[in-house]
């Protein structure tokens, strides 16, 4: 049985920098934490277990990326170049580019290709301390290809030491075979796609893209009704490009999260707070599409809406595999405090996945998922950009990643 003590660390057990333990020790048995506290007080028999001296390095809970589109074919650097020349994201989408361009390359790609490309991105996140991730479908847009994407997500979870939460995003864009028949497409999703994929155990939650270029409130509501009947939690891409009521709709269905939220109103904040719906902030997408409308952070604070931070990793608006970068951007662009950013990638992100009992904090009895950082202060997690800060990742008690030291680096 795996038994190990990690000691002489600085521990931030709940992703809250006002509650830390200096000279801390964590005792792990099998996949769980059996003791944590001051190293000097480590009781028997833990004091006799195999141990590692962390020499005052920081430990945080494993990070959680609660909004990604990690699985897709191809890339869209050409569209990036066009947008830099002044063409808008919406124009490109209406021309059949955008999500539909990625739909075509995703449909063309076989399962192994999708797996390998997503695995690269997943490994990058993992080496940054991420131990749980959400992955959406939504570039297949028919039964065969949505199943292909979700199957790849389950395969990633089987091969890589990371917890994967899948989200069905069939209502991401209207595929060409349903052009001008969006209600029929929703009917198709509800009759022919969602039921088999849910029965196959491929879906943990259901998302919709609530935008002018996507689906109407009535259509989103049909999806939410069907999801709720199957006891699947709901969430939405909402109020990113304009205010269209997606966040209030999610709140009405007691949904897990409403994501993006640049155009969120006071009333929406209130509904979300009452429903316990998490606000998922995606500053990398904001940055990459050069948005100017800021999400109402101060209002979210006032109403006590929990804020999570995620990468939104996708080929159109956030070609990123860095959650630390999203933390940095949440602070620089949205003026989150470092503490808010840290809570946003730990306990609030866990809540956005409906998995707050499993991930996001370190405590006795909890799963031992944590990251060891070569930093002096926690603020450095949001401060550095593009640095290798993560030294080790432990998931379910096992060390799954250790940063390589190059021969010419000093030890
Ligand atoms: N999330 C999404 O689903 C869309 N934007 C976003 O932030 C579009 C993704 C894409 O362009 O492929
Ligand atoms: Fe997204």
């Amino acid at each position: 049985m795996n038994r190990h003590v990690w000691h002489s660390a600085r521990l931030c057990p709940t992703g809250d920098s006002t509650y830390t333990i200096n000279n801390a020790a964590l005792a792990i048995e099998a996949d769980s934490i059996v003791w944590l506290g001051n190293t000097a007080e480590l009781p028997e028999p833990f004091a006799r277990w195999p141990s590692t001296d962390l020499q005052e390095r920081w430990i945080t809970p494993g990070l959680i990326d609660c909004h990604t589109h990690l699985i897709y074919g191809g890339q869209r650097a050409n569209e990036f170049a066009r947008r830099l020349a002044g063409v808008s994201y919406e124009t490109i989408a209406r021309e059949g580019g955008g999500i539909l361009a990625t739909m075509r390359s995703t449909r063309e790609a076989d399962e192994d290709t999708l797996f390998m490309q997503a695995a690269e991105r997943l490994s990058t996140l993992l080496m940054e301390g991420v131990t749980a991730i959400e992955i959406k479908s939504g570039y297949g847009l028919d039964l065969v290809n949505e199943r292909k994407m979700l199957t790849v997500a389950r395969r990633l979870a089987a091969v890589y030491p990371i917890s994967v939460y899948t989200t069905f995003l069939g209502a991401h864009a209207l595929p060409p075979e349903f052009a001008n028949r969006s209600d029929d497409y929703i009917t198709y999703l509800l009759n022919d796609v969602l039921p088999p994929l849910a029965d196959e155990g491929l879906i943990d939650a259901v998302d919709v893209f609530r935008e002018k270029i996507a689906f109407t409130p009535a259509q989103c509501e049909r999806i939410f009704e069907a999801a709720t009947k199957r006891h699947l939690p709901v969430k939405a891409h909402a109020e990113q490009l304009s205010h269209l009521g997606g966040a209030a709709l999610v709140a009405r269905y007691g949904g897990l999260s409403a994501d993006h939220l640049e155009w969120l109103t006071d009333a929406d904040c209130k509904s979300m707070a009452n429903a316990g719906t998490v606000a998922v902030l995606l500053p990398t997408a904001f940055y990459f599409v050069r948005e100017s409308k800021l999400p109402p952070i101060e209002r979210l604070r006032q109403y006590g809406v929990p804020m999570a931070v995620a990468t939104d990793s996708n080929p159109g608006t956030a070609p990123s595999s860095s959650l630390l970068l999203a933390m940095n951007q949440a602070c620089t662009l949205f003026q989150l405090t470092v503490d808010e950013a840290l809570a946003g990638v730990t306990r609030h992100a866990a809540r956005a996945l409906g998995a707050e009992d499993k991930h996001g904090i370190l405590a006795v009895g909890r799963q031992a998922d944590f990251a060891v950082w070569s930093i002096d202060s926690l603020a450095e997690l949001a401060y550095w950009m593009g640095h290798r800060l993560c030294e080790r990742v432990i998931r379910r008690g096992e060390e799954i990643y250790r940063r390589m030291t190059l021969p010419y680096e000093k030890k």
Side-chain angles (χ1 to χ4, degrees):
M1 164 129 59
N2 172 41
R3 282 178 170 163
H4 202 87
V5 173
W6 301 88
H7 67 88
S8 309
R10 284 180 281 179
L11 178 64
C12 175
T14 61
D16 175 355
S17 72
T18 61
Y19 167 50
T20 62
I21 307 175
N22 281 328
N23 190 26
L26 268 180
I28 310 301
E29 182 162 25
D31 61 357
S32 306
I33 299 167
V34 288
W35 191 86
L36 65 77
N38 195 290
T39 303
E41 291 158 17
L42 188 70
E44 294 292 337
F46 311 123
R48 286 180 278 123
W49 287 5
S51 64
T52 304
D53 182 347
L54 288 175
Q55 302 181 353
E56 295 189 18
R57 283 171 178 74
W58 276 99
I59 293 178
T60 68
L63 307 188
I64 301 162
D65 193 353
C66 68
H67 179 142
T68 86
H69 310 249
L70 202 78
I71 298 168
Y72 54 84
Q75 44 75 26
R76 306 219 302 269
N78 58 336
E79 287 181 11
F80 174 54
R82 285 189 69 205
R83 282 197 296 100
L84 293 177
V87 185
S88 77
Y89 181 79
E90 275 141 314
T91 305
I92 292 171
R94 288 187 202 283
E95 288 170 5
I99 295 169
L100 292 184
T102 299
M103 176 208 75
R104 290 187 291 274
S105 35
T106 303
R107 286 181 176 182
E108 275 162 25
D110 62 24
E111 204 183 290
D112 287 343
T113 307
L114 290 179
F115 177 87
M116 269 150 25
Q117 290 173 350
E120 285 293 330
R121 297 185 273 268
L122 190 75
S123 315
T124 308
L125 285 162
L126 201 150
M127 291 186 286
E128 233 191 14
V130 174
T131 54
I133 186 174
E134 186 250 23
I135 302 180
K136 301 175 195 293
S137 71
Y139 291 119
L141 309 182
D142 62 18
L143 175 61
V144 169
N145 290 291
E146 289 288 293
R147 178 187 281 133
K148 182 170 72 180
M149 290 186 72
L150 293 166
T151 303
V152 169
R154 290 288 191 237
R155 268 181 67 192
L156 288 168
V159 173
Y160 285 84
I162 189 162
S163 304
V164 174
Y165 291 80
T166 59
T167 298
F168 175 65
L169 179 55
H172 195 196
L174 191 62
E177 52 285 15
F178 282 93
N180 302 313
R181 294 192 295 132
S182 55
D183 283 329
D184 292 348
Y185 178 60
I186 301 293
T187 303
Y188 163 70
L189 289 179
L190 297 184
N191 290 342
D192 300 322
V193 186
L194 179 66
L197 299 183
D199 290 344
E200 289 160 33
L202 290 171
I203 301 178
D204 298 327
V206 174
D207 193 352
V208 297
F209 197 42
R210 170 74 194 100
E211 284 299 339
K212 271 193 219 129
I213 53 172
F215 298 97
T216 67
Q219 291 168 339
C220 294
E221 194 157 354
R222 287 176 64 199
I223 302 265
F224 282 2
E225 275 298 320
T228 305
K229 281 211 184 90
R230 287 183 165 269
H231 307 290
L232 291 171
V234 301
K235 54 177 104 175
H237 283 72
E239 339 297 357
Q240 180 186 11
L241 307 170
S242 53
H243 182 263
L244 294 167
L249 186 67
V250 178
R252 189 142 62 72
Y253 279 83
L256 292 174
S257 70
D259 305 26
H260 285 292
L261 307 177
E262 278 78 353
W263 293 81
L264 198 72
T265 64
D266 282 14
D268 296 333
C269 292
K270 204 167 172 181
S271 317
M272 287 177 68
N274 289 338
T277 298
V278 177
V280 177
L281 305 172
L282 303 167
T284 307
F286 174 95
Y287 160 83
F288 195 72
V289 301
R290 306 171 76 240
E291 259 290 352
S292 50
K293 175 85 174 162
L294 286 162
I297 303 300
E298 194 45 49
R299 278 285 185 271
L300 289 166
R301 282 186 189 121
Q302 278 169 9
Y303 285 101
V305 180
M307 293 184 279
V309 174
T311 60
D312 198 15
S313 183
N314 79 71
T317 63
S320 165
S321 303
S322 176
L323 190 55
L324 294 181
L325 178 64
M327 286 175 74
N328 172 275
Q329 292 169 323
C331 295
T332 54
L333 300 171
F334 295 171
Q335 284 185 279
L336 257 64
T337 66
V338 170
D339 262 330
E340 286 170 332
L342 191 53
V345 296
T346 53
R347 59 185 197 278
H348 291 167
R351 188 163 161 191
L353 295 179
E356 60 270 47
D357 54 339
K358 272 222 182 82
H359 308 289
I361 69 164
L362 298 172
V364 171
R366 288 291 197 123
Q367 194 164 300
D369 291 0
F370 58 91
V372 178
W373 306 94
S374 50
I375 53 176
D376 280 327
S377 83
L378 283 172
E380 288 179 69
L381 293 177
Y383 162 80
W384 296 107
M385 291 181 276
H387 282 247
R388 298 185 304 158
L389 302 179
C390 185
E391 275 195 5
R392 301 172 192 255
V393 181
I394 285 77
R395 176 173 177 267
R396 294 191 179 160
E398 302 266 2
E399 184 173 84
I400 54 149
Y401 167 70
R402 179 145 186 211
R403 194 171 74 193
M404 192 176 68
T405 307
L406 301 173
Y408 46 83
E409 281 178 332
K410 74 173 177 354
K411 294 261 155 62

